[in-house]
Amino acid sequence: MVYRHVIDATSYVFDDLRDLLAKATPPRSGDRLAGIAADSAQQMIAARIALADVPLKRFLDETVIAYEDDEVTRLIVDTHDRSAFEAISALTVGAFRDWLLSDAATAETLRQVSRGVTPEMAAAASKLMRNQDLILAAKKCEVTTRFRNTIGLRGRMSVRLQPNHPFDDAKGIIASILDGLLLGSGDACIGINPASDDPAVIGGLLRLLDEVIARLQIPTQGCVLTHVTTTLQLIGQGLPVDLVFQSIAGTEAANRSFGVDLALLKQAHQAGLSLRRGTAGTNVMYFETGQGSALSANAHHGVDQQTLEARAYGVARAFDPLLVNSVVGFIGPEYLYDGKEIIRAGLEDHFCGKLLGLPLGVDICYTNHAEADQDDMDNLLTLLAAAGVNFIMGVPGADDVMLNYQSTSFHDALYVRDLFGLKRAPEFDDWLFRTGLADAGGRLAGNGNLLPDFASRLLA
């Protein structure tokens, strides 16, 4: 279907819903690289006005990628909850945006309609929103998940402790883990990006995490962020796997470039559940996403990267994950050029993920060749904390020495906790208190005397 809008006697025509969504997107380098971005600010505004008048029902009839050509489209269409959609079915995109910002859209109401919202509907609404709208609407969405602790409760924010090492050295990793624990990080998970893809090395890292968690009796979960096929192999060998990790994208072809499809993800989900290692719940999957991944794989089908990111969330929610995070600035300036584009994308991703019912966290990050700096990350961190982000990354010094990018540190988490009065997962806060690392209110006790004891127990 063709869409159009007239501004000052100039008629702007958009070939289909895919073109309309792309032209309505705020400026970003990835869409410019793909040749699908608006040619001017006037065309972008015309697209947004036209998009505001599109009925939400249209998204059920017109897909951005053909049903016959893409299994992600089929998943979105086939699992759409029409009864949940009924409450918003009479709305246009513009009216949906207004409703999301109204008092009528409570946390409970948003929970009830989330399965009736398709990724494309969420993306469309976000394109009509200012940054403050994205923050306010996301803040209303509460998504709680559980494995060995409870993540996503209101007034709490978790941290993934990321102790990466360029040589996967056990003592180096343990040093980073101790650093993070003493600074109150690690309740989302302790997650290692391995430098090696050797299953023997991955198995050793899994044992290391399992031993750390068991020896210190930490109510958290470990994860080695290796390919899902490697994880399946190691599960078959009896290795201690808590969370099953995989990077995913918003098209079948992009997922294939990652070496996965929906059937493989289902197999991995079932394997993770079969281990029954969770003590508080059964959310066993950890997914990472990022705007631009489909374009970098030449698998974007002419769809803008933010809509494709929302479609990746459609994949994730089929598997009830514990954690989903957008690695928002990691792919590079070819896709998000500068701090302004990274900040906007991070807020969009968080809003869309939470609206779709996902436990969204954000790796607030940038590569060293991007036009961004740590002040930009401070801004995004503060905005996401205000928006109720489920978790962020905790990297020693905010500088990942294995992946060579800039993220957020353990101290950055302390900053936003102090600023907004945010606590950790309740089970983790209780553990910090029992071990003497924090007081009853969750504030760090500064008990450095525990370092030798912890170190001796882990390095023995």
Side-chain angles (χ1 to χ4, degrees):
M1 178 176 177
V2 174
Y3 301 85
R4 55 173 47 88
H5 185 75
V6 178
I7 297 180
D8 293 336
T10 300
S11 180
Y12 294 93
V13 179
F14 308 97
D15 295 338
D16 49 28
L17 193 54
R18 174 178 57 187
D19 185 41
L20 181 64
L21 288 166
K23 297 297 189 293
T25 305
R28 65 204 57 199
S29 54
D31 291 338
R32 293 190 292 272
L33 179 65
I36 60 175
D39 296 328
S40 65
Q42 290 87 348
Q43 187 185 37
M44 181 180 67
I45 294 302
R48 291 181 184 176
I49 295 171
L51 180 60
D53 290 334
V54 175
L56 291 181
K57 289 181 179 179
R58 183 70 49 76
F59 292 87
L60 304 179
D61 300 323
E62 184 179 352
T63 59
V64 295
I65 304 174
Y67 183 93
E68 298 79 12
D69 298 338
D70 186 87
E71 69 171 359
V72 175
T73 299
R74 293 193 289 275
L75 173 69
I76 292 167
V77 172
D78 295 347
T79 61
H80 180 246
D81 188 333
R82 289 187 175 268
S83 62
F85 178 64
E86 185 60 32
I88 57 173
S89 62
L91 301 179
T92 62
V93 174
F96 183 44
R97 176 260 183 198
D98 293 343
W99 179 80
L100 288 168
L101 298 172
S102 74
D103 292 339
T106 64
E108 180 57 33
T109 303
L110 290 169
R111 185 180 297 112
Q112 292 172 0
V113 304
S114 65
R115 293 282 174 169
V117 179
T118 69
E120 291 85 353
M121 292 176 195
S126 75
K127 296 176 193 297
L128 305 184
M129 290 180 161
R130 292 168 57 186
N131 286 3
Q132 64 175 252
D133 300 335
L134 296 170
I135 294 167
L136 179 59
K139 179 73 171 180
K140 297 181 180 185
C141 301
E142 297 178 30
V143 182
T144 305
T145 54
R146 295 174 176 84
F147 188 75
R148 290 202 186 97
N149 57 26
T150 307
I151 298 170
L153 294 171
R154 183 166 292 279
R156 298 180 184 268
M157 183 194 74
S158 296
V159 177
R160 170 192 157 192
L161 200 170
Q162 186 168 308
N164 297 343
H165 190 280
F167 306 112
D168 293 327
D169 178 74
K171 289 186 177 180
I173 289 170
I174 287 175
S176 293
I177 291 174
L178 286 174
D179 187 19
L181 292 175
L182 290 170
L183 290 169
S185 290
D187 54 336
C189 73
I190 303 174
I192 303 171
N193 296 90
S196 171
D197 59 2
D198 183 341
V201 174
I202 307 301
L205 295 177
L206 286 168
R207 292 189 185 95
L208 173 65
L209 289 179
D210 186 55
E211 189 171 4
V212 167
I213 291 170
R215 284 195 182 190
L216 297 182
Q217 298 181 316
I218 313 170
T220 192
Q221 35 282 329
C223 184
V224 178
L225 283 69
T226 188
H227 194 270
V228 67
T229 53
T230 302
T231 302
L232 281 168
Q233 175 185 342
L234 295 173
I235 287 175
Q237 295 174 10
L239 271 294
V241 173
D242 288 344
L243 303 182
V244 178
F245 169 82
Q246 183 57 46
S247 294
I248 56 173
T251 72
E252 178 181 350
N255 282 325
R256 195 177 296 127
S257 76
F258 288 146
V260 299
D261 58 20
L262 297 180
L264 180 59
L265 294 177
K266 182 177 181 180
Q267 179 187 354
H269 183 218
Q270 293 300 316
L273 289 172
S274 71
L275 299 178
R276 301 180 183 275
R277 291 176 60 84
T279 55
T282 58
N283 300 116
V284 299
M285 302 299 288
Y286 176 11
F287 293 117
E288 282 191 347
T289 66
Q291 288 195 29
S293 58
L295 175 58
S296 69
N298 195 29
H300 61 100
H301 297 270
V303 181
D304 69 272
Q305 64 185 40
Q306 190 255 331
T307 298
L308 291 179
E309 175 72 2
R311 283 169 55 96
Y313 303 152
V315 173
R317 73 174 174 181
F319 301 100
D320 298 321
L322 179 78
L323 306 168
V324 179
N325 77 270
S326 163
V327 192
V328 68
F330 184 75
I331 302 182
E334 299 82 5
Y335 307 96
L336 295 169
Y337 177 70
D338 58 13
K340 183 174 182 178
E341 291 189 6
I342 292 171
I343 289 169
R344 173 70 191 190
L347 295 176
E348 290 169 346
D349 294 351
H350 179 247
F351 160 74
C352 287
K354 294 293 274 295
L355 179 61
L356 293 169
L358 287 176
L360 234 291
V362 179
D363 190 344
I364 301 160
C365 63
Y366 65 101
T367 57
N368 290 315
H369 63 309
E371 291 295 321
D373 59 28
Q374 210 64 38
D375 285 338
D376 294 313
M377 301 305 102
D378 286 350
N379 293 342
L380 180 53
L381 171 63
T382 306
L383 295 172
L384 284 168
V389 69
N390 276 38
F391 67 99
I392 62 170
M393 303 298 116
V395 178
D399 183 4
D400 193 301
V401 295
M402 195 282 284
L403 293 173
N404 293 309
Y405 80 116
Q406 309 303 311
S407 185
T408 47
S409 71
F410 308 133
H411 296 84
D412 293 331
L414 296 179
Y415 149 69
V416 290
R417 292 195 195 287
D418 283 346
L419 183 64
F420 292 104
L422 298 170
K423 297 183 178 182
R424 302 164 186 85
E427 301 88 345
F428 195 84
D429 259 344
D430 290 345
W431 175 80
L432 290 174
F433 176 64
R434 293 196 309 273
T435 57
L437 288 174
D439 63 22
R443 296 186 66 87
L444 293 184
N447 194 348
N449 295 328
L450 290 171
L451 178 57
D453 176 57
F454 276 22
S456 63
R457 289 162 66 184
L458 293 181
L459 296 175

